[in-house]
Amino acid sequence: MDLLRSLLFALLFYPGTLLYVLTVIIVSPIGDGPVRTVVHAWSAFHHWLVRHVLAIRMEWDGRIPDGPFLIAVKHQSMMEAVDTLHFARAPVVVMKRELTVIPLFGWVTRRYGVIGVDRDAGASALRTMMAEARAAVAGGRPVIIFPEGTRVPYGTSPPLRPGFAGLYRVLGLPVVPVAHDAGKLWHKGFVKRSGVVRFKVGATIPAGLKRDDVEARVHIAINALTP
C-alpha cells in the first residue's frame, strides 16, 4: 500500500509542480504578491497530498511565533523542506545553490526569494549568504535554515554547519528551533510510509549569544525528537 501511495503521490506532485512553476512565470510581471501566493499554494498542494495521498499526519507541540526570527529546522526529508513555507509568513529559505539553478524551478525559487548556498565555495558562499539574508530581513521576512546543511538519516544528530553561526551573528535575530521525526517515514527513498510525523517547537533562543552556546542550544533543540 505504501508503494502505491508513493507512486500516486509522484504522479500528482511532479506534474502539478510544473503547472505551479509555469503559473509563477505567468504572474511574475504583476509583482511579488501574486508570486508568493502561487508558491504558497504549491506548498499547500504538497501538504494536501502528504495528508490525503500518503496518509501522513502531522502533530505539533508548540507554535512558531510571528515576527522576525531565524527558524532552525531539523532536516530529514523533502516533506519539511516544502512544508516550511507554512511555518511563517512568506519566509525566505536557505537552500543549496544547486536547487536554484534547476531550469524553470530554480528561477521560481529566486523570484520568490531564497538564499542559495554553495557548500563548496567556502568564505565566498558565506558572504553571499549573509548579503541575501540581510536583504530578506530588511524586507521584514523571517529566515528558515536547516543548520545541519543537508538531509540526515532519522536517528542521527550531526554537528551544525558553520553557516548557521555566521547567519545568527550577522542577522542578530532570536532563533526558533524546530525538531521533528519525519525521517522515520520519509527520507531519500521513493517509498514513503504512512503514519504520524511529530513536530516540536523549542523555546526561543535569544540573539547575541556566543557561538558555542547558541550552537549547543540549537543542536539539542532540533534533536529533541531524535531517538
Side-chain angles (χ1 to χ4, degrees), residues 47-148:
H47 186 90
W48 188 92
L49 292 176
V50 169
R51 177 67 185 90
H52 297 282
V53 175
L54 295 177
I56 295 175
R57 291 190 299 108
M58 302 179 199
E59 294 182 352
W60 282 82
D61 178 2
R63 177 182 174 276
I64 296 175
D66 296 327
F69 291 100
L70 181 58
I71 304 172
V73 185
K74 182 76 177 177
H75 193 17
Q76 296 177 342
S77 73
M78 188 185 78
M79 191 198 78
E80 74 275 358
V82 178
D83 240 53
T84 52
L85 294 176
H86 289 293
F87 286 10
R89 185 175 178 273
V92 173
V93 181
V94 179
M95 63 172 58
K96 59 184 179 181
R97 192 165 294 277
E98 298 96 294
L99 295 176
T100 69
V101 296
I102 296 174
L104 296 181
F105 179 82
W107 183 89
V108 168
T109 66
R110 298 192 303 274
R111 183 65 179 81
Y112 171 79
V114 299
I115 300 170
V117 179
D118 183 350
R119 292 196 291 259
D120 297 323
S124 65
L126 290 177
R127 286 193 294 270
T128 299
M129 182 175 74
M130 302 310 171
E132 293 176 344
R134 288 192 191 98
V137 173
R141 301 173 70 179
V143 176
I144 291 177
I145 186 171
F146 302 103
E148 292 161 326

Side-chain angles (χ1 to χ4, degrees), residues 16-40 42 100 102-112:
T17 294
L18 178 59
L19 291 177
Y20 280 103
V21 165
L22 295 176
T23 302
V24 170
I25 293 172
I26 292 170
V27 304
S28 181
I30 301 174
D32 292 342
V35 168
R36 293 176 187 174
T37 296
V38 175
V39 172
H40 295 156
W42 167 72
T100 69
I102 296 174
L104 296 181
F105 179 82
W107 183 89
V108 168
T109 66
R110 298 192 303 274
R111 183 65 179 81
Y112 171 79

Side-chain angles (χ1 to χ4, degrees), residues 4-17:
L4 291 177
R5 288 193 182 106
S6 300
L7 179 60
L8 180 58
F9 171 84
L11 290 173
L12 293 173
F13 177 68
Y14 292 105
T17 294

